[in-house]
Amino acid sequence: MSSKIESLSQQSKWKVKNRIHFPKKLKVVLYGSVIPAFLLLVWQILSMVGVFERHLMPAPTLVLEKIISMVADGTLWAHIGVTLLRILIGFTIGVVFAVVLGSVIGYLKRAEQLMDPLIQGFRAIPSLAWVPLFILWMGIGESSKIMLIAVGVFFPVYLNIVSGIQGVDRKLIEVGKIYNFTPFQLIRKVILPASLPSFFTGIRSGLGLGWMFVVAAELMGASKGIGYLLVVGQNTYSPDLVLASIVMIAILGKLTDSALKAIESKSLHWQDSFGKQS
Amino acid sequence: MLSLKNVSRTFNDGSTGFKNINFKSEKGEIIGLLGTSGCGKSTLLRVVSGLDIEYTGSVKINDDLIKAVHEKVGIIFQEPRLMPWLNVVDNIGFGLNDKKDKQKEAQTFVDLVGLNGFGEHFPKDLSGGMAQRVSIARALITNPEVLLLDEPFSALDAFTKMQLQDLLLKIWHQYQATIVLVTHDIDEALYLCDRIFILRGQPGEVYKELQVPVSRPRSRGDEELAKMKATILDLLDLSQVENGESHDDIKTTTTK
């Protein structure tokens, strides 16, 4: 056992070292940037040579110019802010409903038999098919957009929570039973923490769908937002605006996902899995 | 005290499980249940623990009929079954209700099972033996009067196993709990137990009850124990192996 102690303390020393100067993290970021940078370079060169026509596929520098000009006149922040707010509200509503329904259905067999067929049926409907109905019900304003996003976010989160709860190791639940836990204690102390990994998988894919549906919602009629910029770009024949919007979506989508991923790896540091080998 | 009267629990139309088990424990006695695989040892332990209440007969702890898990029962499973998201201290305090001195109490048990300095470690960083130490501490912290062990050391290497057997005896001296140990390791049963029940058949029945008349501390190489081991091997009738019945589960390792 003493050798184990030694190797453990050795390990923790290395961990501390990594935390102090983090060339490794920087390396990972650089690694991930190699291919995008190369593609940008190729795009730029092909634009300059004239392979890409300017009125169809403007060069990266022109797209960047467009973004900078929007930053300068302040319009960009307004559009981004509106889009982010929509996604935040829709995402939150979708996640809350999915967590409540998913927990009950995952835990109670009866509730699953009662509700799951219905929910699976709804899942089979492409979320965009709801658009006309939502517009009829709620008009073209904010509520129909947020509703669409919430519906899109709901399903991946719901599915992952149900399967996460049902996949909790029976042996761990038995440990709780040994201590005469009430169902509520069992859920709080065993089932929820044990299904946390699939919860995170769910909200990350939910967020991805959230971005998809916020753009869809803004395409169908909005006066602000990134999706609206896409429509404007199309109607005014300005591919630089369309590309600038797409780039913004890519950047924001990546940033929000990274934020969730950071929370995930912080909350799941106890996992002993292949992906976490250093 | 633990007492079983005509306890049966069978599955598959009575072809597996166990039947007609009777015994009464003395206070602080260590009882071994020894048998080949499939004779219902673990099922019996689940019944006594209250995890399986579909039995017939009566199981009593201090005259309380077992219908659910009794608060005076502690269990140590074959696998440590630690919560991977809790560190050692929190795993040990897992069964305690949330109260102020929970951490402090758990810390004393960290020291008791010899894990000083590992309180902040997570299960993924523990060796098999250390993890099992944590699960021993987790079972002891609620101060059980009856401690049930389901092949607790069978997944460990020979040296760790001996260390933990001695740790168990040390703790038993301190707490004087009644221990029921399910095992298929004859040496382990002889080293630890006051009384050994040998289960045989399908469904399993008590085939023989043996007292171990050697006083503690016992030597693993004790001559008396070696003789008893020969008797037990005889009783288990391992010659059936040649007749095609599988008893490969029985460990016959010789101790040094």
Side-chain angles (χ1 to χ4, degrees), chain B residues 8-19:
Chain B
S8 304
R9 171 72 169 116
T10 50
F11 305 94
N12 305 331
D13 295 325
S15 61
T16 51
F18 62 86
K19 62 181 184 187

Side-chain angles (χ1 to χ4, degrees), chain B residues 51-114:
Chain B
L51 282 174
D52 184 345
I53 49 170
E54 308 270 303
Y55 64 89
T56 58
S58 81
V59 180
K60 284 183 178 168
I61 292 175
N62 297 341
D63 296 327
D64 298 338
L65 195 64
I66 294 296
K67 288 194 214 78
V69 179
H70 195 279
E71 57 171 351
K72 290 292 177 199
V73 166
I75 282 209
I76 298 167
F77 298 99
Q78 184 176 2
E79 329 80 24
R81 301 196 183 182
L82 306 181
M83 305 296 141
W85 54 89
L86 298 178
N87 65 22
V88 167
V89 172
D90 291 336
N91 259 302
I92 290 176
F94 182 73
L96 292 178
N97 291 323
D98 297 304
K99 49 182 184 187
K100 272 176 280 163
D101 52 350
K102 182 174 168 178
Q103 286 277 323
K104 217 173 108 193
E105 210 175 326
Q107 190 60 50
T108 60
F109 279 86
V110 172
D111 301 340
L112 178 77
V113 295

Side-chain angles (χ1 to χ4, degrees), chain A residues 7-272:
Chain A
S7 74
L8 273 172
S9 65
Q10 186 85 37
Q11 245 177 6
S12 57
K13 248 182 237 157
W14 285 335
K15 271 183 197 157
V16 170
K17 242 192 232 166
N18 274 342
R19 226 173 278 152
I20 293 169
H21 35 119
F22 42 91
K24 207 169 152 191
K25 257 187 191 166
L26 203 66
K27 235 192 223 167
V28 172
V29 174
L30 287 176
Y31 235 75
S33 315
V34 169
I35 293 177
F38 175 73
L39 289 177
L40 273 178
L41 193 71
V42 171
W43 178 7
Q44 181 71 35
I45 290 169
L46 289 178
S47 302
M48 280 157 71
V49 174
V51 177
F52 290 158
E53 292 173 61
R54 194 178 160 162
H55 67 282
L56 289 178
M57 184 78 173
T61 45
L62 291 175
V63 174
L64 189 66
E65 252 171 51
K66 183 71 197 172
I67 293 178
I68 290 171
S69 79
M70 281 195 293
V71 171
D73 62 19
T75 48
L76 186 69
W77 303 130
H79 290 297
I80 286 180
V82 167
T83 298
L84 280 178
L85 189 67
R86 281 175 186 146
I87 224 177
L88 182 73
I89 298 173
F91 178 73
T92 310
I93 294 174
V95 168
V96 168
F97 272 92
V99 168
V100 172
L101 272 176
S103 306
V104 173
I105 287 170
Y107 187 67
L108 298 173
K109 200 96 210 135
R110 274 268 173 270
E112 189 193 6
Q113 290 164 350
L114 190 70
M115 300 280 294
D116 199 58
L118 179 74
I119 294 178
Q120 296 302 336
F122 272 103
R123 192 168 76 93
I125 305 167
S127 302
L128 288 178
W130 293 107
V131 169
L133 202 58
F134 288 164
I135 291 179
L136 275 178
W137 285 348
M138 290 171 268
I140 211 159
E142 289 305 307
S143 29
S144 59
K145 294 187 182 61
I146 285 168
M147 187 73 184
L148 180 64
I149 298 167
V151 168
V153 170
F154 174 83
F155 287 106
V157 182
Y158 167 81
L159 282 181
N160 278 288
I161 285 186
V162 171
S163 76
I165 288 177
Q166 292 179 341
V168 174
D169 192 348
R170 179 188 57 79
K171 292 177 172 174
L172 294 185
I173 292 179
E174 239 171 47
V175 175
K177 288 198 170 146
I178 285 291
Y179 295 107
N180 270 319
F181 282 1
T182 59
F184 179 70
Q185 280 177 308
L186 212 55
I187 289 176
R188 187 171 63 87
K189 290 177 119 176
V190 183
I191 294 173
L192 281 187
S195 50
L196 208 57
S198 47
F199 171 68
F200 273 109
T201 311
I203 60 170
R204 279 179 69 191
S205 51
L207 186 68
L209 281 178
W211 277 103
M212 189 170 131
F213 285 108
V214 78
V215 172
E218 288 174 350
L219 281 177
M220 75 196 190
S223 56
K224 266 201 158 89
I226 299 179
Y228 164 76
L229 290 181
L230 285 170
V231 179
V232 173
Q234 181 196 351
N235 293 345
T236 58
Y237 302 103
S238 13
D240 54 344
L241 182 58
V242 174
L243 281 168
S245 309
I246 289 175
V247 169
M248 291 316 300
I249 294 170
I251 291 174
L252 288 171
K254 168 76 184 125
L255 284 181
T256 46
D257 184 62
S258 299
L260 274 189
K261 196 178 170 184
I263 299 172
E264 179 185 12
S265 50
K266 203 155 198 162
S267 325
L268 301 183
H269 65 92
W270 45 267
Q271 270 190 322
D272 191 10

